[in-house]
Amino acid sequence: MAAAILRRLNPSASAAPRVPLARAFSDAAEPLTVSTSLPFAAHNIDPPSRTVSTTAPELLATFRSMALMRRAEIAADSLYKAKLIRGFCHLYDGQEAVAVGMEAAITRRDAIITAYRDHCLYLARGGSLVAAFAELMGRVDGCSRGKGGSMHFYKKDANFYGGHGIVGAQVPLGCGLAFAQRYRKEGTVTFDLYGDGAANQGQLFEALNMAALWKLPVVLVCENNHYGMGTAEWRASKSPAYYKRGDYVPGLKVDGMDFLAVKQACKFAKEHVLENGPIILEMDTYRYHGHSMSDPGSTYRTRDEIAGIRQERDPIERVRKLVLAHDLATAQELKDMEKEIRKEVDTAIAKAKESPMPDESELFTNVYVNDCGLESFGVDRKVVRTVLP
């Protein structure tokens, strides 16, 4: 359906048709000018323009990407409840505009590193649904060979350096990636993501200080979903204006539920850090699920609050309204696209279930450098149990 709509908008598109559509739009490929939902709040810097340029193909592709992420996370919820996903599982539904908007502003040569809410960022970087679900279920065809699980997705060929389970620990690593980019004169940047719950970590400020001293090309992105686990931001932070926390480092507050605002801010931030060093972007966003699957998400906030955000700020519905307002597709065509996405997710899950569990020998791989002749002893420290590969 997505390919059919895009081809209707751009007859030169080469993708094979899925569902034929009759209408044609001669001017659909021309740029559309749209204003962001809210102005940017700025700290020690002039904010970018609220006027954003987009196109019909971009809006339709964005709708599809975010709808796919939403469906995948809902499916992960069901798999977890069926005990096919074990351990921790942190879902991203509600925050999709951050992942998709950021990706629209950068290239795959730029790096991204994040915390444990990483499934959709992996998909945004070009990761496959099958590899995502296989990893969630601990199968060998997963993006981390079934050894990382929900919190440790990874895609090196797209410079996605994964999810990290230790709160805030990825921030210094992201600054290290930016150091390597500058050292090699690559002309690329790192987007270093963390949550409001990690915003008070000392290591964040230590890394930021070094990044500012060395003018590293790093964009620190605070995904502020307003609850660090089950603690509201106002209970944990004396100053919840996270974009101002850098003091000597400039910052922007962005409507993280608005794809176009995220795209504009990330484009602006990339250009800034290549010339001037770090900047902080605070993405004002929201998660619909609890902190993790063990958290019902309703003991520290009301169901009315969640429903209100869904009704007024949902990122997918905002793009849907833009598509309909500019007559880029009909409501039925978008519904058909969502039905197609459901089938795509179901097919990926079925294929991921066919993937086997890792062999027990995998316990010893990716721990030490191979071929060192290291020996593993039993608890008595006398009998050699195995020689590590």
Side-chain angles (χ1 to χ4, degrees):
M1 175 58 67
I5 297 174
L6 291 172
R7 191 169 41 264
R8 184 193 68 208
L9 299 170
N10 180 10
S12 64
S14 59
R18 294 185 183 180
V19 180
L21 298 172
R23 296 187 296 132
F25 293 85
S26 59
D27 297 329
E30 294 183 0
L32 300 171
T33 301
V34 183
S35 291
T36 61
S37 56
L38 295 170
F40 300 101
H43 169 67
N44 285 347
I45 197 168
D46 292 328
S49 170
R50 290 183 61 187
T51 303
V52 188
S53 179
T54 185
T55 63
E58 181 178 63
L59 288 176
L60 287 164
T62 295
F63 179 85
R64 194 184 195 287
S65 295
M66 291 200 294
L68 181 73
M69 292 174 181
R70 179 73 56 87
R71 185 61 195 170
E73 294 292 64
I74 291 171
D77 175 292
S78 298
L79 290 170
Y80 191 93
K81 290 172 180 174
K83 297 185 178 181
L84 290 170
I85 298 175
R86 310 303 291 262
F88 293 104
C89 185
H90 305 80
L91 302 182
Y92 202 73
D93 50 320
Q95 300 183 206
E96 298 92 348
V98 177
V100 180
M102 182 169 56
E103 198 65 43
I106 63 177
T107 74
R108 297 279 164 81
R109 292 182 64 238
D110 297 309
I112 295 177
I113 188 169
T114 188
Y116 37 76
R117 206 176 302 278
D118 58 355
H119 312 158
C120 293
L121 289 157
Y122 167 78
L123 294 175
R125 291 261 89 181
S128 78
L129 279 173
V130 173
F133 284 116
E135 189 61 41
L136 285 169
M137 293 187 281
R139 312 301 176 98
V140 295
D141 291 327
C143 57
S144 297
R145 302 176 187 172
K147 300 168 70 173
S150 171
M151 298 194 292
H152 302 288
F153 278 35
Y154 183 71
K155 188 171 173 57
K156 187 178 180 180
D157 61 0
N159 289 301
F160 178 60
Y161 292 94
H164 294 261
I166 304 302
V167 174
Q170 74 280 4
V171 176
L173 298 180
C175 291
L177 291 171
F179 177 85
Q181 289 169 324
R182 186 181 179 202
Y183 186 81
R184 295 169 180 165
K185 300 180 180 179
E186 294 177 352
T188 57
V189 308
T190 294
F191 280 75
D192 197 354
L193 280 66
Y194 60 98
D196 53 290
N200 298 317
Q201 285 274 319
Q203 58 189 324
L204 187 157
F205 296 96
E206 293 177 47
L208 183 62
N209 180 64
M210 295 174 70
L213 282 171
W214 297 337
K215 294 187 176 180
L216 301 183
V218 60
V219 181
L220 276 78
V221 182
C222 177
E223 292 187 283
N224 181 11
N225 59 30
H226 302 282
Y227 294 95
M229 298 187 70
T231 303
E233 59 179 350
W234 61 268
R235 296 182 61 200
S237 297
K238 182 64 177 176
S239 172
Y242 300 110
Y243 70 103
K244 296 181 178 180
R245 288 286 196 89
D247 185 18
Y248 44 83
V249 173
L252 288 176
K253 184 174 182 179
V254 185
D255 183 355
M257 306 293 269
D258 181 349
F259 155 76
L260 292 173
V262 175
K263 172 189 168 184
Q264 185 82 330
C266 290
K267 179 182 177 182
F268 175 86
K270 178 177 177 177
E271 294 171 355
H272 172 86
V273 301
L274 284 171
E275 295 293 330
N276 306 291
I279 188 172
I280 296 174
L281 299 182
E282 178 187 343
M283 299 293 179
D284 181 2
T285 186
Y286 198 83
R287 56 169 164 81
Y288 295 146
H289 267 84
H291 171 72
S292 69
M293 285 301 298
S294 61
D295 168 23
S298 57
T299 57
Y300 48 85
R301 57 182 181 175
T302 66
R303 296 189 185 277
D304 287 344
E305 176 184 309
I306 302 169
I309 297 292
R310 281 186 182 274
Q311 184 175 351
E312 297 174 13
R313 299 184 63 208
D314 185 83
I316 298 175
E317 293 308 311
R318 282 180 166 180
V319 176
R320 188 196 304 271
K321 289 176 182 176
L322 269 177
V323 168
L324 296 177
H326 290 277
D327 200 23
L328 307 179
T330 67
Q332 185 58 50
E333 285 167 345
L334 295 181
K335 287 182 180 179
D336 290 343
M337 189 188 294
E338 289 172 308
K339 289 179 182 178
E340 185 181 87
I341 287 169
R342 282 174 177 258
K343 293 178 182 178
E344 186 177 342
V345 170
D346 290 344
T347 299
I349 292 171
K351 189 170 182 180
K353 287 179 178 178
E354 295 173 359
S355 178
M357 296 290 183
D359 186 79
E360 289 183 1
S361 63
E362 285 293 313
L363 288 170
F364 301 105
T365 61
N366 308 121
V367 179
Y368 298 104
V369 175
N370 288 347
D371 303 319
C372 288
L374 296 174
E375 297 175 330
S376 174
F377 291 82
V379 293
D380 58 6
R381 302 181 64 82
K382 295 179 180 179
V383 180
V384 175
R385 298 299 175 89
T386 187
V387 176
L388 302 184

PDB file of all heavy atoms in Angstrom, residues 36-54:
ATOM      1  N   THR A  36       5.966  23.969  12.823  1.00  0.00           N
ATOM      2  CA  THR A  36       5.974  23.047  13.953  1.00  0.00           C
ATOM      3  C   THR A  36       4.825  23.387  14.906  1.00  0.00           C
ATOM      4  O   THR A  36       4.338  24.520  14.940  1.00  0.00           O
ATOM      5  CB  THR A  36       7.302  23.127  14.717  1.00  0.00           C
ATOM      6  OG1 THR A  36       7.472  24.454  15.229  1.00  0.00           O
ATOM      7  CG2 THR A  36       8.470  22.786  13.805  1.00  0.00           C
ATOM      8  N   SER A  37       4.408  22.420  15.669  1.00  0.00           N
ATOM      9  CA  SER A  37       3.266  22.592  16.566  1.00  0.00           C
ATOM     10  C   SER A  37       3.535  23.624  17.646  1.00  0.00           C
ATOM     11  O   SER A  37       2.644  24.362  18.062  1.00  0.00           O
ATOM     12  CB  SER A  37       2.902  21.247  17.207  1.00  0.00           C
ATOM     13  OG  SER A  37       4.034  20.702  17.868  1.00  0.00           O
ATOM     14  N   LEU A  38       4.771  23.691  18.111  1.00  0.00           N
ATOM     15  CA  LEU A  38       5.165  24.620  19.170  1.00  0.00           C
ATOM     16  C   LEU A  38       6.485  25.280  18.808  1.00  0.00           C
ATOM     17  O   LEU A  38       7.299  24.699  18.070  1.00  0.00           O
ATOM     18  CB  LEU A  38       5.322  23.881  20.502  1.00  0.00           C
ATOM     19  CG  LEU A  38       4.072  23.251  21.118  1.00  0.00           C
ATOM     20  CD1 LEU A  38       4.468  22.365  22.296  1.00  0.00           C
ATOM     21  CD2 LEU A  38       3.085  24.322  21.556  1.00  0.00           C
ATOM     22  N   PRO A  39       6.762  26.467  19.329  1.00  0.00           N
ATOM     23  CA  PRO A  39       8.077  27.069  19.101  1.00  0.00           C
ATOM     24  C   PRO A  39       9.150  26.326  19.884  1.00  0.00           C
ATOM     25  O   PRO A  39       8.869  25.652  20.881  1.00  0.00           O
ATOM     26  CB  PRO A  39       7.902  28.504  19.616  1.00  0.00           C
ATOM     27  CG  PRO A  39       6.785  28.416  20.607  1.00  0.00           C
ATOM     28  CD  PRO A  39       5.858  27.340  20.108  1.00  0.00           C
ATOM     29  N   PHE A  40      10.388  26.445  19.435  1.00  0.00           N
ATOM     30  CA  PHE A  40      11.511  25.861  20.159  1.00  0.00           C
ATOM     31  C   PHE A  40      11.885  26.788  21.312  1.00  0.00           C
ATOM     32  O   PHE A  40      11.928  28.015  21.145  1.00  0.00           O
ATOM     33  CB  PHE A  40      12.714  25.682  19.246  1.00  0.00           C
ATOM     34  CG  PHE A  40      12.481  24.783  18.072  1.00  0.00           C
ATOM     35  CD1 PHE A  40      12.231  25.307  16.811  1.00  0.00           C
ATOM     36  CD2 PHE A  40      12.497  23.408  18.219  1.00  0.00           C
ATOM     37  CE1 PHE A  40      12.016  24.482  15.720  1.00  0.00           C
ATOM     38  CE2 PHE A  40      12.285  22.563  17.139  1.00  0.00           C
ATOM     39  CZ  PHE A  40      12.029  23.105  15.884  1.00  0.00           C
ATOM     40  N   ALA A  41      12.164  26.214  22.466  1.00  0.00           N
ATOM     41  CA  ALA A  41      12.731  26.984  23.572  1.00  0.00           C
ATOM     42  C   ALA A  41      14.243  26.823  23.500  1.00  0.00           C
ATOM     43  O   ALA A  41      14.745  25.715  23.301  1.00  0.00           O
ATOM     44  CB  ALA A  41      12.194  26.486  24.902  1.00  0.00           C
ATOM     45  N   ALA A  42      14.978  27.920  23.656  1.00  0.00           N
ATOM     46  CA  ALA A  42      16.417  27.879  23.445  1.00  0.00           C
ATOM     47  C   ALA A  42      17.197  28.360  24.653  1.00  0.00           C
ATOM     48  O   ALA A  42      16.733  29.199  25.430  1.00  0.00           O
ATOM     49  CB  ALA A  42      16.785  28.726  22.227  1.00  0.00           C
ATOM     50  N   HIS A  43      18.394  27.800  24.799  1.00  0.00           N
ATOM     51  CA  HIS A  43      19.324  28.195  25.862  1.00  0.00           C
ATOM     52  C   HIS A  43      20.673  28.496  25.224  1.00  0.00           C
ATOM     53  O   HIS A  43      21.294  27.632  24.595  1.00  0.00           O
ATOM     54  CB  HIS A  43      19.462  27.061  26.878  1.00  0.00           C
ATOM     55  CG  HIS A  43      20.586  27.248  27.857  1.00  0.00           C
ATOM     56  ND1 HIS A  43      20.589  28.236  28.811  1.00  0.00           N
ATOM     57  CD2 HIS A  43      21.760  26.563  28.014  1.00  0.00           C
ATOM     58  CE1 HIS A  43      21.701  28.157  29.526  1.00  0.00           C
ATOM     59  NE2 HIS A  43      22.431  27.156  29.056  1.00  0.00           N
ATOM     60  N   ASN A  44      21.127  29.748  25.343  1.00  0.00           N
ATOM     61  CA  ASN A  44      22.432  30.187  24.836  1.00  0.00           C
ATOM     62  C   ASN A  44      22.607  29.964  23.337  1.00  0.00           C
ATOM     63  O   ASN A  44      23.726  29.702  22.864  1.00  0.00           O
ATOM     64  CB  ASN A  44      23.570  29.467  25.588  1.00  0.00           C
ATOM     65  CG  ASN A  44      23.776  30.028  26.984  1.00  0.00           C
ATOM     66  OD1 ASN A  44      23.243  31.089  27.313  1.00  0.00           O
ATOM     67  ND2 ASN A  44      24.535  29.313  27.797  1.00  0.00           N
ATOM     68  N   ILE A  45      21.503  30.038  22.588  1.00  0.00           N
ATOM     69  CA  ILE A  45      21.595  29.866  21.136  1.00  0.00           C
ATOM     70  C   ILE A  45      20.302  30.386  20.508  1.00  0.00           C
ATOM     71  O   ILE A  45      19.245  30.387  21.153  1.00  0.00           O
ATOM     72  CB  ILE A  45      21.816  28.377  20.766  1.00  0.00           C
ATOM     73  CG1 ILE A  45      22.318  28.242  19.329  1.00  0.00           C
ATOM     74  CG2 ILE A  45      20.549  27.562  20.981  1.00  0.00           C
ATOM     75  CD1 ILE A  45      22.822  26.845  18.993  1.00  0.00           C
ATOM     76  N   ASP A  46      20.401  30.862  19.280  1.00  0.00           N
ATOM     77  CA  ASP A  46      19.197  31.266  18.557  1.00  0.00           C
ATOM     78  C   ASP A  46      18.526  30.019  17.985  1.00  0.00           C
ATOM     79  O   ASP A  46      19.192  29.212  17.322  1.00  0.00           O
ATOM     80  CB  ASP A  46      19.547  32.229  17.417  1.00  0.00           C
ATOM     81  CG  ASP A  46      20.045  33.571  17.930  1.00  0.00           C
ATOM     82  OD1 ASP A  46      19.580  33.998  19.011  1.00  0.00           O
ATOM     83  OD2 ASP A  46      20.903  34.176  17.256  1.00  0.00           O
ATOM     84  N   PRO A  47      17.226  29.844  18.212  1.00  0.00           N
ATOM     85  CA  PRO A  47      16.558  28.612  17.780  1.00  0.00           C
ATOM     86  C   PRO A  47      16.372  28.559  16.265  1.00  0.00           C
ATOM     87  O   PRO A  47      16.409  29.600  15.590  1.00  0.00           O
ATOM     88  CB  PRO A  47      15.199  28.691  18.481  1.00  0.00           C
ATOM     89  CG  PRO A  47      14.945  30.157  18.638  1.00  0.00           C
ATOM     90  CD  PRO A  47      16.297  30.766  18.898  1.00  0.00           C
ATOM     91  N   PRO A  48      16.182  27.373  15.721  1.00  0.00           N
ATOM     92  CA  PRO A  48      15.894  27.262  14.291  1.00  0.00           C
ATOM     93  C   PRO A  48      14.492  27.763  13.969  1.00  0.00           C
ATOM     94  O   PRO A  48      13.665  27.962  14.864  1.00  0.00           O
ATOM     95  CB  PRO A  48      16.013  25.756  14.023  1.00  0.00           C
ATOM     96  CG  PRO A  48      15.698  25.120  15.342  1.00  0.00           C
ATOM     97  CD  PRO A  48      16.224  26.068  16.380  1.00  0.00           C
ATOM     98  N   SER A  49      14.222  27.926  12.697  1.00  0.00           N
ATOM     99  CA  SER A  49      12.906  28.368  12.253  1.00  0.00           C
ATOM    100  C   SER A  49      11.853  27.296  12.541  1.00  0.00           C
ATOM    101  O   SER A  49      12.132  26.101  12.506  1.00  0.00           O
ATOM    102  CB  SER A  49      12.932  28.643  10.748  1.00  0.00           C
ATOM    103  OG  SER A  49      11.628  28.859  10.239  1.00  0.00           O
ATOM    104  N   ARG A  50      10.644  27.740  12.822  1.00  0.00           N
ATOM    105  CA  ARG A  50       9.529  26.807  13.000  1.00  0.00           C
ATOM    106  C   ARG A  50       8.996  26.301  11.673  1.00  0.00           C
ATOM    107  O   ARG A  50       8.230  25.337  11.641  1.00  0.00           O
ATOM    108  CB  ARG A  50       8.386  27.482  13.759  1.00  0.00           C
ATOM    109  CG  ARG A  50       8.668  27.768  15.213  1.00  0.00           C
ATOM    110  CD  ARG A  50       7.437  28.360  15.885  1.00  0.00           C
ATOM    111  NE  ARG A  50       6.305  27.454  15.843  1.00  0.00           N
ATOM    112  CZ  ARG A  50       5.071  27.771  16.239  1.00  0.00           C
ATOM    113  NH1 ARG A  50       4.820  28.982  16.692  1.00  0.00           N
ATOM    114  NH2 ARG A  50       4.100  26.875  16.180  1.00  0.00           N
ATOM    115  N   THR A  51       9.387  26.937  10.586  1.00  0.00           N
ATOM    116  CA  THR A  51       8.909  26.548   9.262  1.00  0.00           C
ATOM    117  C   THR A  51       9.767  25.410   8.720  1.00  0.00           C
ATOM    118  O   THR A  51      10.987  25.549   8.575  1.00  0.00           O
ATOM    119  CB  THR A  51       8.955  27.738   8.295  1.00  0.00           C
ATOM    120  OG1 THR A  51       8.175  28.809   8.838  1.00  0.00           O
ATOM    121  CG2 THR A  51       8.403  27.344   6.937  1.00  0.00           C
ATOM    122  N   VAL A  52       9.132  24.290   8.426  1.00  0.00           N
ATOM    123  CA  VAL A  52       9.844  23.082   8.009  1.00  0.00           C
ATOM    124  C   VAL A  52       9.380  22.689   6.617  1.00  0.00           C
ATOM    125  O   VAL A  52       8.184  22.713   6.316  1.00  0.00           O
ATOM    126  CB  VAL A  52       9.588  21.916   8.981  1.00  0.00           C
ATOM    127  CG1 VAL A  52      10.478  20.731   8.638  1.00  0.00           C
ATOM    128  CG2 VAL A  52       9.819  22.358  10.419  1.00  0.00           C
ATOM    129  N   SER A  53      10.339  22.287   5.792  1.00  0.00           N
ATOM    130  CA  SER A  53      10.027  21.808   4.446  1.00  0.00           C
ATOM    131  C   SER A  53       9.946  20.284   4.462  1.00  0.00           C
ATOM    132  O   SER A  53      10.817  19.606   5.011  1.00  0.00           O
ATOM    133  CB  SER A  53      11.093  22.270   3.458  1.00  0.00           C
ATOM    134  OG  SER A  53      10.806  21.798   2.157  1.00  0.00           O
ATOM    135  N   THR A  54       8.896  19.756   3.847  1.00  0.00           N
ATOM    136  CA  THR A  54       8.735  18.316   3.742  1.00  0.00           C
ATOM    137  C   THR A  54       8.136  18.004   2.379  1.00  0.00           C
ATOM    138  O   THR A  54       7.928  18.911   1.565  1.00  0.00           O
ATOM    139  CB  THR A  54       7.854  17.763   4.877  1.00  0.00           C
ATOM    140  OG1 THR A  54       7.821  16.325   4.800  1.00  0.00           O
ATOM    141  CG2 THR A  54       6.436  18.305   4.817  1.00  0.00           C
TER     142      THR A  54
END
